[in-house]
Amino acid sequence: MINIGIIGCGNISNVHMKSYLNNNDVKVIAVCDINEKRAKEYSKEYNIPNFYNNHRDLLNNKDIDAVSVCTWNNSHAEITIDALNAKKHVLCEKPLAMNTKEAIAMEKASKDNNKLLMVGFVRRFGRNATILKDFAEKGFLGEIYYAKTGCLRRNGNPTGWFSDISKSGGGPLIDLGVHMIDLCRYIMGKPVAVKAFGVTNNLLGPRLDVKMVDRYSPVDKGTLSNVEDFAKAMVTFENGAVLSIETSFSMHIKEDYLFCELYGTKAGAKIEPEFEIISNIDGYNVDITPNYSKEKNFFQDIFQQEINHFIDCISNNTTCINPVKDGVDLMKILDAIYKSAKTKCEVKIT
Ligand SMILES: NC(=O)c1ccc[n+]([C@@H]2O[C@H](COP(=O)([O-])OP(=O)(O)OC[C@H]3O[C@@H](n4cnc5c(N)ncnc54)[C@H](O)[C@@H]3O)[C@@H](O)[C@H]2O)c1
Protein backbone atom coordinates (compact mmCIF):
# COMPACT_ATOMS: atom_id res chain seq x y z
CA MET A 1 0.00 0.00 0.00
CA ILE A 2 1.40 3.40 -1.03
CA ASN A 3 0.43 6.30 1.24
CA ILE A 4 -0.35 9.54 -0.58
CA GLY A 5 -0.50 13.20 0.36
CA ILE A 6 -2.30 15.74 -1.83
CA ILE A 7 -1.01 19.31 -1.72
CA GLY A 8 -3.50 21.92 -2.94
CA CYS A 9 -7.21 21.18 -2.48
CA GLY A 10 -8.66 23.03 -5.47
CA ASN A 11 -10.33 21.86 -8.67
CA ILE A 12 -7.78 19.50 -10.15
CA SER A 13 -6.94 17.86 -6.83
CA ASN A 14 -10.46 16.35 -6.87
CA VAL A 15 -9.65 14.59 -10.13
CA HIS A 16 -6.41 13.23 -8.60
CA MET A 17 -8.34 12.22 -5.47
CA LYS A 18 -11.03 10.32 -7.40
CA SER A 19 -8.33 8.51 -9.36
CA TYR A 20 -6.48 7.52 -6.17
CA LEU A 21 -9.77 6.23 -4.75
CA ASN A 22 -10.09 3.94 -7.77
CA ASN A 23 -6.59 2.51 -7.33
CA ASN A 24 -6.43 -0.42 -4.91
CA ASP A 25 -2.72 0.02 -4.18
CA VAL A 26 -2.96 3.44 -2.56
CA LYS A 27 -4.48 5.33 0.32
CA VAL A 28 -4.65 9.12 0.56
CA ILE A 29 -3.74 9.79 4.18
CA ALA A 30 -3.12 13.55 4.23
CA VAL A 31 -4.03 16.76 2.43
CA CYS A 32 -2.80 20.32 2.64
CA ASP A 33 -3.95 23.74 1.50
CA ILE A 34 -2.84 27.23 2.53
CA ASN A 35 -6.57 27.74 2.98
CA GLU A 36 -6.93 25.61 6.13
CA LYS A 37 -10.72 25.63 6.05
CA ARG A 38 -10.60 24.19 2.54
CA ALA A 39 -8.15 21.47 3.60
CA LYS A 40 -10.31 20.59 6.59
CA GLU A 41 -13.51 20.36 4.56
CA TYR A 42 -11.73 18.34 1.88
CA SER A 43 -10.37 15.87 4.44
CA LYS A 44 -13.90 15.50 5.84
CA GLU A 45 -15.47 15.02 2.41
CA TYR A 46 -13.05 12.26 1.44
CA ASN A 47 -12.55 10.82 4.93
CA ILE A 48 -8.81 11.59 5.02
CA PRO A 49 -7.23 11.33 8.50
CA ASN A 50 -4.79 14.29 8.35
CA PHE A 51 -5.01 17.85 7.06
CA TYR A 52 -2.45 20.67 7.17
CA ASN A 53 -2.17 24.32 6.14
CA ASN A 54 1.53 24.09 5.33
CA HIS A 55 3.16 21.62 2.94
CA ARG A 56 6.22 21.18 5.20
CA ASP A 57 4.03 19.83 8.01
CA LEU A 58 2.51 17.34 5.59
CA LEU A 59 5.98 16.31 4.41
CA ASN A 60 7.05 15.69 8.02
CA ASN A 61 4.50 12.89 8.11
CA LYS A 62 6.81 9.86 7.83
CA ASP A 63 4.00 7.57 6.66
CA ILE A 64 3.61 9.43 3.35
CA ASP A 65 5.40 7.81 0.40
CA ALA A 66 4.33 10.09 -2.45
CA VAL A 67 2.53 13.37 -3.13
CA SER A 68 0.45 15.03 -5.83
CA VAL A 69 1.31 18.72 -6.21
CA CYS A 70 -1.91 20.47 -7.27
CA THR A 71 -1.15 24.07 -6.28
CA TRP A 72 -0.64 27.34 -8.19
CA ASN A 73 2.29 27.19 -10.60
CA ASN A 74 4.44 29.54 -8.49
CA SER A 75 4.67 26.96 -5.69
CA HIS A 76 5.36 23.84 -7.79
CA ALA A 77 9.17 24.16 -7.52
CA GLU A 78 9.39 24.87 -3.81
CA ILE A 79 6.90 22.18 -2.79
CA THR A 80 8.32 19.57 -5.17
CA ILE A 81 11.92 20.15 -4.06
CA ASP A 82 10.90 20.01 -0.39
CA ALA A 83 8.97 16.79 -1.05
CA LEU A 84 11.86 15.13 -2.88
CA ASN A 85 14.25 16.18 -0.10
CA ALA A 86 11.79 14.59 2.35
CA LYS A 87 12.20 11.37 0.27
CA LYS A 88 8.72 11.40 -1.22
CA HIS A 89 7.94 10.59 -4.87
CA VAL A 90 6.17 13.45 -6.65
CA LEU A 91 3.52 13.82 -9.33
CA CYS A 92 3.61 17.53 -10.16
CA GLU A 93 0.84 19.17 -12.15
CA LYS A 94 1.66 20.97 -15.37
CA PRO A 95 3.38 23.29 -16.08
CA LEU A 96 6.31 21.78 -14.20
CA ALA A 97 7.42 25.22 -13.01
CA MET A 98 7.36 28.97 -13.66
CA ASN A 99 10.55 28.79 -15.75
CA THR A 100 13.51 26.62 -16.81
CA LYS A 101 15.70 27.61 -13.85
CA GLU A 102 13.15 26.26 -11.39
CA ALA A 103 12.57 23.16 -13.51
CA ILE A 104 16.30 22.33 -13.56
CA ALA A 105 16.47 22.65 -9.76
CA MET A 106 13.51 20.24 -9.49
CA GLU A 107 15.23 17.76 -11.82
CA LYS A 108 18.38 17.97 -9.67
CA ALA A 109 16.40 17.32 -6.46
CA SER A 110 14.86 14.24 -8.06
CA LYS A 111 18.29 12.90 -9.05
CA ASP A 112 19.98 13.79 -5.73
CA ASN A 113 17.29 12.01 -3.73
CA ASN A 114 16.75 9.17 -6.18
CA LYS A 115 13.00 9.76 -6.06
CA LEU A 116 10.56 9.88 -8.97
CA LEU A 117 9.39 13.24 -10.25
CA MET A 118 6.63 12.71 -12.79
CA VAL A 119 5.12 15.63 -14.74
CA GLY A 120 1.35 15.88 -15.17
CA PHE A 121 1.31 15.75 -18.98
CA VAL A 122 -2.03 13.99 -18.76
CA ARG A 123 -2.95 14.28 -22.44
CA ARG A 124 -0.33 11.63 -23.21
CA PHE A 125 -2.63 9.09 -21.53
CA GLY A 126 -5.53 9.60 -23.93
CA ARG A 127 -6.23 6.55 -26.07
CA ASN A 128 -5.95 8.70 -29.21
CA ALA A 129 -2.45 9.86 -28.20
CA THR A 130 -1.44 6.34 -27.19
CA ILE A 131 -2.52 4.89 -30.55
CA LEU A 132 -0.90 7.62 -32.61
CA LYS A 133 2.32 7.43 -30.59
CA ASP A 134 2.40 3.70 -31.28
CA PHE A 135 1.87 4.28 -35.03
CA ALA A 136 4.54 6.98 -35.10
CA GLU A 137 7.07 4.80 -33.26
CA LYS A 138 6.47 2.00 -35.73
CA GLY A 139 7.14 4.35 -38.63
CA PHE A 140 3.64 4.50 -40.15
CA LEU A 141 3.79 8.31 -40.38
CA GLY A 142 7.33 8.32 -41.79
CA GLU A 143 9.43 11.31 -40.79
CA ILE A 144 7.24 13.84 -38.97
CA TYR A 145 8.37 17.24 -40.25
CA TYR A 146 5.47 19.49 -39.24
CA ALA A 147 3.08 19.77 -36.31
CA LYS A 148 0.31 22.29 -36.02
CA THR A 149 -1.53 22.60 -32.75
CA GLY A 150 -3.52 24.95 -30.61
CA CYS A 151 -6.12 25.57 -28.00
CA LEU A 152 -8.24 28.63 -28.61
CA ARG A 153 -10.86 29.91 -26.22
CA ARG A 154 -13.41 32.60 -26.93
CA ASN A 155 -14.18 33.62 -23.31
CA GLY A 156 -11.84 31.35 -21.42
CA ASN A 157 -9.75 33.49 -19.11
CA PRO A 158 -10.18 31.57 -15.83
CA THR A 159 -9.17 34.70 -13.83
CA GLY A 160 -7.97 34.24 -10.22
CA TRP A 161 -4.39 33.02 -9.95
CA PHE A 162 -4.41 31.79 -13.59
CA SER A 163 -4.33 35.36 -14.86
CA ASP A 164 -1.99 36.75 -12.17
CA ILE A 165 1.47 36.40 -13.71
CA SER A 166 3.18 36.24 -10.32
CA LYS A 167 1.29 33.01 -9.56
CA SER A 168 0.87 31.46 -13.01
CA GLY A 169 3.98 32.53 -14.95
CA GLY A 170 1.84 33.45 -17.95
CA GLY A 171 -1.47 33.02 -19.72
CA PRO A 172 -2.81 30.51 -22.25
CA LEU A 173 0.65 29.58 -23.52
CA ILE A 174 1.91 28.21 -20.20
CA ASP A 175 -1.54 26.95 -19.16
CA LEU A 176 -2.98 25.39 -22.36
CA GLY A 177 -0.11 25.53 -24.84
CA VAL A 178 2.05 23.46 -22.52
CA HIS A 179 -0.28 20.44 -23.05
CA MET A 180 -0.46 20.83 -26.82
CA ILE A 181 3.25 21.43 -27.43
CA ASP A 182 4.06 18.47 -25.22
CA LEU A 183 1.57 16.21 -27.00
CA CYS A 184 3.07 16.97 -30.41
CA ARG A 185 6.65 16.66 -29.20
CA TYR A 186 5.84 13.34 -27.53
CA ILE A 187 4.32 11.87 -30.70
CA MET A 188 7.17 13.31 -32.80
CA GLY A 189 9.62 11.29 -30.70
CA LYS A 190 10.74 14.17 -28.45
CA PRO A 191 12.96 16.06 -30.91
CA VAL A 192 15.32 18.65 -29.39
CA ALA A 193 14.00 22.21 -29.78
CA VAL A 194 16.58 24.66 -31.11
CA LYS A 195 14.79 27.96 -31.85
CA ALA A 196 11.53 29.73 -31.15
CA PHE A 197 9.80 32.80 -32.48
CA GLY A 198 6.66 33.98 -30.73
CA VAL A 199 4.18 36.79 -30.37
CA THR A 200 1.96 37.43 -27.36
CA ASN A 201 -0.80 40.01 -26.87
CA ASN A 202 -2.98 41.20 -24.06
CA LEU A 203 -5.51 43.19 -26.05
CA LEU A 204 -8.89 41.74 -25.07
CA GLY A 205 -8.36 41.13 -21.37
CA PRO A 206 -10.48 38.70 -19.35
CA ARG A 207 -13.78 39.84 -20.96
CA LEU A 208 -15.64 39.68 -17.65
CA ASP A 209 -18.40 41.77 -19.23
CA VAL A 210 -19.53 38.81 -21.34
CA LYS A 211 -22.83 37.57 -19.96
CA MET A 212 -24.29 34.05 -19.65
CA VAL A 213 -21.19 32.16 -20.66
CA ASP A 214 -19.63 29.47 -18.45
CA ARG A 215 -15.87 29.29 -18.07
CA TYR A 216 -13.35 27.19 -16.14
CA SER A 217 -12.49 29.03 -12.97
CA PRO A 218 -10.25 28.28 -10.01
CA VAL A 219 -11.65 27.94 -6.50
CA ASP A 220 -10.68 31.55 -5.72
CA LYS A 221 -12.00 33.83 -8.44
CA GLY A 222 -10.75 37.32 -9.24
CA THR A 223 -10.81 40.11 -11.79
CA LEU A 224 -7.12 40.92 -12.37
CA SER A 225 -5.53 39.82 -15.63
CA ASN A 226 -1.92 40.75 -16.37
CA VAL A 227 -1.07 37.70 -18.53
CA GLU A 228 -1.18 37.40 -22.32
CA ASP A 229 -4.59 36.53 -23.72
CA PHE A 230 -3.19 35.29 -27.05
CA ALA A 231 0.06 33.61 -28.09
CA LYS A 232 1.30 32.37 -31.43
CA ALA A 233 4.70 30.75 -31.96
CA MET A 234 6.85 28.64 -34.19
CA VAL A 235 9.40 26.22 -32.75
CA THR A 236 12.08 24.50 -34.81
CA PHE A 237 13.85 21.28 -33.89
CA GLU A 238 17.34 19.84 -34.38
CA ASN A 239 15.99 17.28 -36.88
CA GLY A 240 14.56 20.03 -39.11
CA ALA A 241 10.93 19.63 -37.97
CA VAL A 242 8.79 22.65 -37.15
CA LEU A 243 5.85 23.14 -34.77
CA SER A 244 3.26 25.89 -34.87
CA ILE A 245 1.24 26.66 -31.75
CA GLU A 246 -1.57 29.11 -31.09
CA THR A 247 -3.48 29.64 -27.86
CA SER A 248 -5.93 32.12 -26.44
CA PHE A 249 -7.89 32.88 -23.29
CA SER A 250 -9.93 35.55 -25.12
CA MET A 251 -10.52 35.82 -28.84
CA HIS A 252 -13.35 36.67 -31.21
CA ILE A 253 -13.59 33.11 -32.49
CA LYS A 254 -16.95 31.43 -33.04
CA GLU A 255 -16.25 28.36 -30.92
CA ASP A 256 -13.48 27.19 -28.62
CA TYR A 257 -11.19 25.12 -30.77
CA LEU A 258 -8.63 22.43 -29.93
CA PHE A 259 -6.48 21.02 -32.70
CA CYS A 260 -3.46 18.77 -32.96
CA GLU A 261 -2.17 17.76 -36.38
CA LEU A 262 1.06 16.06 -37.37
CA TYR A 263 2.40 15.63 -40.88
CA GLY A 264 4.89 12.94 -41.88
CA THR A 265 6.42 11.72 -45.13
CA LYS A 266 4.16 8.65 -45.17
CA ALA A 267 0.98 9.95 -43.50
CA GLY A 268 -0.59 12.89 -41.76
CA ALA A 269 -2.70 12.55 -38.63
CA LYS A 270 -5.01 14.61 -36.45
CA ILE A 271 -5.96 13.60 -32.95
CA GLU A 272 -7.99 16.72 -32.27
CA PRO A 273 -10.70 17.73 -32.97
CA GLU A 274 -11.16 14.15 -34.16
CA PHE A 275 -8.79 11.25 -34.81
CA GLU A 276 -8.02 10.77 -38.48
CA ILE A 277 -5.10 9.49 -40.53
CA ILE A 278 -4.55 10.86 -44.02
CA SER A 279 -2.38 8.81 -46.35
CA ASN A 280 -2.01 7.06 -49.65
CA ILE A 281 -2.28 3.33 -50.30
CA ASP A 282 -1.07 1.94 -53.61
CA GLY A 283 -1.60 5.21 -55.43
CA TYR A 284 -4.98 6.03 -53.89
CA ASN A 285 -5.57 8.75 -51.31
CA VAL A 286 -7.16 7.32 -48.18
CA ASP A 287 -8.65 8.93 -45.09
CA ILE A 288 -8.56 6.47 -42.21
CA THR A 289 -10.58 6.70 -39.00
CA PRO A 290 -9.16 4.53 -36.21
CA ASN A 291 -11.80 2.36 -34.59
CA TYR A 292 -11.32 1.91 -30.82
CA SER A 293 -13.36 2.11 -27.63
CA LYS A 294 -13.27 5.74 -26.54
CA GLU A 295 -13.00 6.85 -22.93
CA LYS A 296 -16.43 7.14 -21.30
CA ASN A 297 -15.36 10.29 -19.49
CA PHE A 298 -12.24 11.51 -21.29
CA PHE A 299 -11.03 13.98 -18.62
CA GLN A 300 -11.43 11.68 -15.60
CA ASP A 301 -10.23 8.60 -17.50
CA ILE A 302 -6.95 10.11 -18.67
CA PHE A 303 -6.22 11.23 -15.10
CA GLN A 304 -6.98 7.70 -13.91
CA GLN A 305 -4.39 6.36 -16.37
CA GLU A 306 -1.90 8.99 -15.22
CA ILE A 307 -2.36 8.16 -11.53
CA ASN A 308 -2.25 4.40 -12.21
CA HIS A 309 1.02 4.90 -14.09
CA PHE A 310 2.49 7.01 -11.25
CA ILE A 311 1.70 4.26 -8.76
CA ASP A 312 2.97 1.55 -11.10
CA CYS A 313 6.30 3.42 -11.47
CA ILE A 314 6.65 3.65 -7.67
CA SER A 315 5.55 0.10 -6.91
CA ASN A 316 7.15 -1.80 -9.77
CA ASN A 317 9.95 0.48 -10.87
CA THR A 318 8.27 0.82 -14.27
CA THR A 319 9.94 3.40 -16.53
CA CYS A 320 8.02 6.66 -16.25
CA ILE A 321 6.62 7.89 -19.55
CA ASN A 322 6.42 11.48 -18.19
CA PRO A 323 9.90 11.97 -16.73
CA VAL A 324 11.01 15.31 -15.30
CA LYS A 325 13.38 15.87 -18.25
CA ASP A 326 10.37 16.29 -20.55
CA GLY A 327 9.06 18.98 -18.20
CA VAL A 328 12.42 20.76 -18.27
CA ASP A 329 12.55 20.60 -22.10
CA LEU A 330 9.05 22.04 -22.27
CA MET A 331 9.93 24.92 -19.92
CA LYS A 332 12.89 25.76 -22.20
CA ILE A 333 10.49 26.06 -25.14
CA LEU A 334 8.01 28.21 -23.18
CA ASP A 335 10.76 30.49 -21.84
CA ALA A 336 12.12 30.95 -25.38
CA ILE A 337 8.67 31.83 -26.77
CA TYR A 338 8.02 34.38 -24.01
CA LYS A 339 11.51 35.86 -24.49
CA SER A 340 10.98 36.07 -28.24
CA ALA A 341 7.65 37.82 -27.76
CA LYS A 342 9.36 40.36 -25.50
CA THR A 343 12.42 40.97 -27.67
CA LYS A 344 10.61 40.52 -31.01
CA CYS A 345 13.54 38.33 -32.11
CA GLU A 346 14.03 34.63 -32.69
CA VAL A 347 15.46 32.96 -29.57
CA LYS A 348 17.92 30.07 -29.50
CA ILE A 349 17.14 27.21 -27.13
CA THR A 350 20.12 25.62 -25.41
N1 LIG B 1 -3.65 18.63 -16.14
C1 LIG B 1 -4.67 19.44 -16.38
O1 LIG B 1 -5.40 19.27 -17.36
C2 LIG B 1 -4.94 20.55 -15.40
C3 LIG B 1 -6.21 21.14 -15.34
C4 LIG B 1 -6.40 22.17 -14.42
C5 LIG B 1 -5.36 22.60 -13.61
N2 LIG B 1 -4.13 22.01 -13.72
C6 LIG B 1 -3.00 22.47 -12.90
O2 LIG B 1 -3.27 22.13 -11.54
C7 LIG B 1 -2.78 23.14 -10.65
C8 LIG B 1 -3.93 23.65 -9.80
O3 LIG B 1 -4.96 24.16 -10.62
P1 LIG B 1 -6.50 24.24 -10.11
O4 LIG B 1 -7.31 24.51 -11.30
O5 LIG B 1 -6.79 23.07 -9.25
O6 LIG B 1 -6.42 25.56 -9.20
P2 LIG B 1 -7.34 25.94 -7.94
O7 LIG B 1 -7.14 27.39 -7.70
O8 LIG B 1 -8.72 25.44 -8.15
O9 LIG B 1 -6.68 25.11 -6.74
C9 LIG B 1 -5.38 25.38 -6.28
C10 LIG B 1 -5.35 25.19 -4.77
O10 LIG B 1 -3.98 25.25 -4.34
C11 LIG B 1 -3.94 25.96 -3.10
N3 LIG B 1 -2.56 26.44 -2.91
C12 LIG B 1 -1.93 27.42 -3.58
N4 LIG B 1 -0.66 27.54 -3.14
C13 LIG B 1 -0.48 26.59 -2.19
C14 LIG B 1 0.62 26.19 -1.38
N5 LIG B 1 1.80 26.79 -1.45
N6 LIG B 1 0.44 25.18 -0.50
C15 LIG B 1 -0.77 24.55 -0.40
N7 LIG B 1 -1.85 24.89 -1.14
C16 LIG B 1 -1.70 25.89 -2.03
C17 LIG B 1 -5.00 27.05 -3.26
O11 LIG B 1 -5.39 27.57 -2.02
C18 LIG B 1 -6.10 26.26 -3.98
O12 LIG B 1 -6.99 25.66 -3.07
C19 LIG B 1 -2.15 24.20 -11.57
O13 LIG B 1 -0.78 23.99 -11.69
C20 LIG B 1 -2.82 23.97 -12.93
O14 LIG B 1 -2.01 24.37 -14.01
C21 LIG B 1 -3.92 20.99 -14.57
Side-chain angles (χ1 to χ4, degrees):
M1 190 60 76
I2 310 269
N3 287 330
I4 301 287
I6 294 181
I7 305 175
C9 298
N11 281 327
I12 213 62
S13 73
N14 287 285
V15 192
H16 284 235
M17 183 67 216
K18 284 174 189 146
S19 305
Y20 284 125
L21 285 173
N22 286 329
N23 186 308
N24 292 331
D25 298 327
V26 299
K27 195 161 191 269
V28 177
I29 63 162
V31 292
C32 159
D33 200 293
I34 44 172
N35 181 328
E36 187 172 331
K37 187 169 167 267
R38 188 171 296 147
K40 188 177 178 183
E41 282 167 6
Y42 192 97
S43 69
K44 241 189 190 167
E45 183 185 344
Y46 291 107
N47 204 13
I48 300 164
N50 306 290
F51 71 89
Y52 305 93
N53 64 9
N54 183 311
H55 73 272
R56 291 201 180 92
D57 293 337
L58 178 143
L59 296 173
N60 279 336
N61 184 328
K62 296 265 178 293
D63 294 333
I64 296 175
D65 304 298
V67 295
S68 270
V69 177
C70 300
T71 58
W72 306 330
N73 302 345
N74 67 336
S75 55
H76 287 186
E78 184 190 357
I79 295 174
T80 297
I81 292 169
D82 287 346
L84 292 163
N85 288 340
K87 306 292 178 199
K88 320 288 186 200
H89 301 284
V90 178
L91 169 57
C92 181
E93 262 304 340
K94 53 51 60 174
L96 179 60
M98 297 283 274
N99 52 49
T100 309
K101 194 173 165 213
E102 285 186 358
I104 288 172
M106 294 160 89
E107 184 179 37
K108 183 174 180 304
S110 169
K111 276 190 192 139
D112 289 351
N113 292 290
N114 196 23
K115 289 286 159 190
L116 173 66
L117 170 49
M118 174 167 157
V119 192
F121 290 138
V122 72
R123 291 284 323 209
R124 293 184 181 193
F125 294 93
R127 290 186 179 179
N128 51 7
T130 307
I131 295 169
L132 190 58
K133 170 79 176 157
D134 198 15
F135 283 158
E137 268 178 2
K138 289 176 179 147
F140 291 117
L141 304 187
E143 183 190 333
I144 303 173
Y145 57 89
Y146 178 41
K148 179 175 151 181
T149 190
C151 182
L152 298 168
R153 289 183 181 166
R154 182 172 178 168
N155 297 295
N157 187 321
T159 74
W161 71 266
F162 279 95
S163 51
D164 174 350
I165 199 160
S166 68
K167 298 192 171 87
S168 61
L173 180 66
I174 196 168
D175 182 41
L176 311 171
V178 66
H179 275 307
M180 305 318 290
I181 299 172
D182 174 69
L183 194 55
C184 289
R185 227 190 122 244
Y186 176 61
I187 294 165
M188 292 164 95
K190 303 191 205 170
V192 177
V194 289
K195 281 181 199 166
F197 181 76
V199 176
T200 60
N201 285 320
N202 186 4
L203 299 172
L204 273 66
R207 305 196 70 210
L208 298 171
D209 55 322
V210 176
K211 301 180 185 89
M212 292 201 212
V213 172
D214 296 334
R215 56 174 88 194
Y216 182 91
S217 52
V219 281
D220 301 301
K221 294 161 195 43
T223 51
L224 169 87
S225 183
N226 57 10
V227 296
E228 85 275 4
D229 55 36
F230 169 78
K232 166 84 198 177
M234 203 169 98
V235 181
T236 54
F237 297 93
E238 207 171 52
N239 64 0
V242 59
L243 177 147
S244 154
I245 169 84
E246 50 193 73
T247 58
S248 70
F249 273 168
S250 301
M251 195 171 175
H252 292 300
I253 186 171
K254 191 170 174 195
E255 281 174 355
D256 291 0
Y257 186 50
L258 187 68
F259 61 100
C260 181
E261 305 177 13
L262 296 109
Y263 297 93
T265 49
K266 291 188 186 163
K270 302 181 185 183
I271 51 171
E272 293 288 355
E274 65 279 316
F275 196 175
E276 206 175 9
I277 295 172
I278 298 100
S279 190
N280 182 288
I281 300 179
D282 199 23
Y284 299 99
N285 282 342
V286 291
D287 303 339
I288 303 163
T289 309
N291 185 318
Y292 63 101
S293 304
K294 299 201 174 52
E295 290 91 346
K296 287 191 183 73
N297 175 343
F298 184 76
F299 197 64
Q300 181 65 53
D301 287 2
I302 59 176
F303 273 93
Q304 186 68 56
Q305 295 308 318
E306 177 182 78
I307 295 287
N308 289 352
H309 180 64
F310 180 52
I311 299 307
D312 184 36
C313 292
I314 297 170
S315 308
N316 305 314
N317 226 3
T318 302
T319 304
C320 183
I321 73 162
N322 289 11
V324 55
K325 178 172 189 316
D326 295 357
V328 174
D329 289 346
L330 221 294
M331 290 317 304
K332 286 183 184 175
I333 295 174
L334 297 180
D335 277 2
I337 295 173
Y338 280 127
K339 187 172 174 193
S340 168
K342 219 175 188 175
T343 59
K344 300 185 168 43
C345 292
E346 186 179 75
V347 170
K348 270 193 186 162
I349 302 171
T350 48

